[in-house]
């Protein structure tokens, strides 16, 4: 066993100052995540409107998602690495400022090029928001890391689920310019994130004023095993988010084409799916804290395969039922995967969070673009048949180590 040193890393410092789970802070960062992802989900939710207004094909629709996701994907690891060394408590509010500008530009964009620019600005805001907000959640966790990440994540997923409803109720009837009304939500989020920045700053000052407490256990694994485990986790993220792209970006088109639903009715079905995703997110973290994260990862990715394989052949009723089951099971994985990765690489919370959020966004964007092109070349039904096999990659989870059974060191 190693004893604690007087050196205080950013993550150790802020964590050591938190004795109990800070539910007020977790609630605030979760609500900010709700507002952030609600705004971002509007991009996906207004695809039918944009497709009609600008005469876009599926490949161009996919490129919008790709622009947004890739911007977030490339920048998030960079932001995470930088803030591990130089924490920026008020960067959260700054990130939301980029989202606000992108939202306003989207509301007045007269052509496809400016729509892509607006999507890039929203992606930039997301790239700044997620690594640092994930660090805040861990700081306030009081050691209950899975629970904290689930509370944080459920805010984002609940916000994403609201996008289709808001689009159906407000944007579709009133047109593209009504997107600007949601700038109020962005301004509210900036105010909340500024207050969270104040808390973040105080905690760092308190932590650096006294030595770090001992008792932080780190998993002992060879470097090669860590690299292999991270690679497996990224493969599982690929499986999850490539499949999620087929539902989040094209589910409304699938329902409208196969079952002849109206745009508003299809948006309601998308909301039901996204709400199921939010529900699943709540479950994954706490179950992982109690039963082990590897079990949650295994069940979440591979366990959803029978339902995804049935989805392309179901009628409307069973499509709705299966989408709920898929959303709940598949969404439970991310919190467990993220905390698992953070435990593999201790002291690098921002880097790990940026890598996994960024990779998830990137896979979602690439998936949306690739699946859009595939839909143009074939049809939307074939896309869902192909994607139904992706969860079988969950078999790779068998090669992950059981962290709870491994030796630890205390620093």
């Amino acid at each position: 066993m190693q004893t604690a040193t007087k050196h205080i890393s950013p993550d150790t410092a802020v964590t050591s100052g938190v004795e109990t789970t800070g539910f007020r802070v977790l609630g605030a960062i979760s609500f900010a995540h709700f507002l952030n992802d609600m705004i971002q989900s509007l991009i996906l939710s207004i695809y039918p409107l944009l497709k009609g207004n600008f005469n876009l094909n599926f490949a161009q629709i996919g490129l919008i998602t790709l622009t947004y996701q890739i911007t977030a994907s490339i920048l998030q690891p960079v932001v995470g690495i930088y803030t591990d060394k130089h924490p920026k408590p008020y960067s959260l509010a700054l990130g939301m400022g980029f989202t606000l500008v992108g939202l306003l530009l989207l509301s007045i964009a007269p052509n496809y090029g400016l729509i892509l620019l607006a999507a890039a600005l929203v992606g930039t805001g997301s790239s700044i928001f997620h690594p640092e907000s994930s660090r805040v959640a861990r700081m306030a966790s009081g050691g209950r890391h899975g629970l904290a990440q689930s509370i944080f994540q459920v805010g984002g997923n609940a916000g994403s689920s609201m996008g289709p409803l808001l689009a159906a109720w407000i944007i579709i009837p009133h047109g593209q310019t009504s997107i600007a009304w949601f700038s109020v939500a962005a301004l509210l989020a900036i105010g909340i994130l500024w207050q969270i920045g104040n808390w973040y700053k105080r905690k760092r000052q308190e932590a650096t004023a006294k030595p770090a407490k001992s008792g932080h256990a780190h998993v002992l694994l060879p470097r090669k095993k860590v690299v292999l485990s991270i690679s497996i986790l990224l493969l599982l993220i690929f499986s999850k988010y490539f499949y999620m792209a087929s539902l989040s970006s094209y589910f409304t088109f699938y329902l409208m084409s196969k079952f002849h639903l109206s745009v508003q009715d299809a948006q309601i079905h998308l909301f039901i799916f996204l709400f199921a995703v939010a529900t699943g997110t709540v479950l994954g973290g706490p179950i992982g804290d109690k039963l082990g994260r590897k079990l949650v990862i295994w069940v979440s990715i591979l366990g959803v395969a029978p339902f995804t394989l049935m989805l392309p052949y179901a009628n409307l009723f069973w499509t709705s039922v299966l989408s709920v089951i898929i959303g709940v099971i598949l969404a439970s994985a991310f919190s467990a995967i993220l905390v698992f990765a953070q435990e593999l690489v201790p002291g690098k919370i921002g880097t790990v969070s940026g890598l996994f959020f960024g990779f998830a966004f990137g896979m979602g964007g690439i998936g949306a673009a690739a699946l859009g092109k595939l839909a143009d070349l074939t049809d939307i039904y074939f896309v869902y048949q192909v994607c139904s096999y992706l969860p079988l990659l969950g078999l790779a989870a068998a090669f992950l180590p059981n962290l709870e059974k491994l030796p630890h060191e205390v620093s």
Side-chain angles (χ1 to χ4, degrees):
M1 293 277 185
Q2 296 180 354
T3 58
T5 66
K6 292 186 178 180
H7 171 71
I8 306 174
S9 68
D11 298 309
T12 303
V14 294
T15 305
S16 64
V18 179
E19 298 289 343
T20 58
T21 305
F23 286 105
R24 289 183 63 184
V25 175
L26 289 175
I29 197 67
S30 181
F31 183 59
H33 200 186
F34 171 88
L35 295 172
N36 181 78
D37 285 23
M38 179 193 74
I39 293 169
Q40 293 170 357
S41 71
L42 292 174
I43 296 177
L44 301 176
S45 302
I46 62 172
Y47 281 170
L49 176 68
L50 296 178
K51 190 175 189 296
N53 287 355
F54 297 95
N55 195 28
L56 306 180
N57 57 34
F58 282 121
Q60 289 173 310
I61 291 291
L63 185 58
I64 298 173
T65 303
L66 177 64
T67 301
Y68 157 66
Q69 302 280 40
I70 289 297
T71 306
S73 176
I74 292 174
L75 292 178
Q76 283 199 49
V78 176
V79 172
I81 292 170
Y82 179 77
T83 55
D84 273 339
K85 297 179 180 180
H86 311 283
K88 302 293 182 183
Y90 299 106
S91 62
L92 292 165
L94 175 64
M96 186 58 65
F98 279 94
T99 300
L100 172 62
V101 174
L103 184 70
L104 293 173
L105 179 58
L106 184 61
S107 70
I108 61 172
N111 55 58
Y112 183 65
L114 286 179
I115 289 173
L116 293 179
L117 177 58
L121 287 169
V122 174
T124 301
S126 181
S127 71
I128 298 172
F129 175 81
H130 283 97
E132 280 296 83
S133 56
S134 182
R135 188 198 307 276
V136 168
R138 191 172 179 91
M139 287 165 56
S141 69
R144 301 165 72 180
H145 303 310
L147 173 64
Q149 285 298 328
S150 284
I151 292 173
F152 167 62
Q153 290 295 329
V154 75
N157 288 333
S160 295
S161 72
M162 289 301 297
L165 284 184
L166 295 172
W169 293 342
I170 300 174
I171 299 175
I172 299 300
H174 296 93
Q176 182 180 346
T177 56
S178 63
I179 298 171
W181 298 351
F182 295 94
S183 61
V184 175
L187 291 171
L188 175 60
I190 289 173
I192 293 170
L193 292 172
W194 190 267
Q195 294 301 316
I196 290 173
N198 290 334
W199 175 86
Y200 184 171
K201 184 178 180 180
R202 287 196 304 271
K203 286 298 177 183
R204 284 193 53 77
Q205 290 172 342
E206 292 171 6
T208 54
K210 56 185 178 181
K213 297 180 181 179
S214 62
H216 295 280
H218 301 320
V219 178
L220 290 172
L221 273 179
R223 181 179 177 84
K224 289 184 178 180
K225 187 67 173 178
V226 171
V227 172
L228 175 62
S229 299
I230 292 291
S231 299
I232 292 172
L233 293 175
L234 291 174
L235 176 66
L236 299 180
I237 289 290
F238 160 78
S239 169
K240 169 181 164 62
Y241 279 89
F242 229 79
Y243 184 81
M244 291 287 283
S246 71
L247 287 171
S248 60
S249 292
Y250 301 109
F251 197 41
T252 53
F253 297 110
Y254 176 76
L255 295 172
M256 290 162 60
S257 178
K258 184 173 183 180
F259 302 112
H260 309 293
L261 299 184
S262 67
V263 173
Q264 285 84 354
D265 288 342
Q267 295 285 21
I268 291 172
H269 280 79
L270 180 58
F271 161 75
I272 293 171
F273 164 72
L274 294 174
F275 187 81
V277 169
T279 302
T281 304
V282 176
L283 301 175
I287 293 174
D289 284 340
K290 292 184 178 181
L291 302 181
R293 303 187 216 291
K294 181 178 178 179
L295 175 64
V296 172
I297 294 168
W298 176 270
V299 172
S300 177
I301 303 295
L302 185 61
V304 80
F307 306 104
T308 62
L309 290 168
M310 287 189 284
L311 182 66
Y313 310 100
N315 60 25
L316 179 59
F317 172 78
W318 284 109
T319 294
S320 299
V321 172
L322 289 171
S323 70
V324 170
I325 296 172
I326 291 168
V328 170
I329 297 177
L330 199 58
S332 63
F334 189 78
S335 295
I337 290 174
L338 182 59
V339 175
F340 195 103
Q342 290 173 344
E343 292 173 350
L344 286 171
V345 190
K348 299 292 183 182
I349 303 303
T351 301
V352 171
S353 298
L355 172 64
F356 276 81
F357 276 111
F359 191 75
F361 276 57
M363 288 302 98
I366 293 172
L371 296 176
K373 185 64 175 179
L374 182 62
D376 284 333
L377 294 174
T378 57
D379 57 55
I380 197 71
Y381 313 113
F382 183 71
V383 167
Y384 280 84
Q385 290 173 333
V386 171
C387 289
S388 66
Y389 293 94
L390 285 172
L392 294 176
L393 292 174
L395 289 167
F399 298 98
L400 291 173
N402 292 309
L403 297 185
E404 293 82 4
K405 298 180 181 180
L406 292 174
H408 292 64
E409 69 174 356
V410 176
S411 61

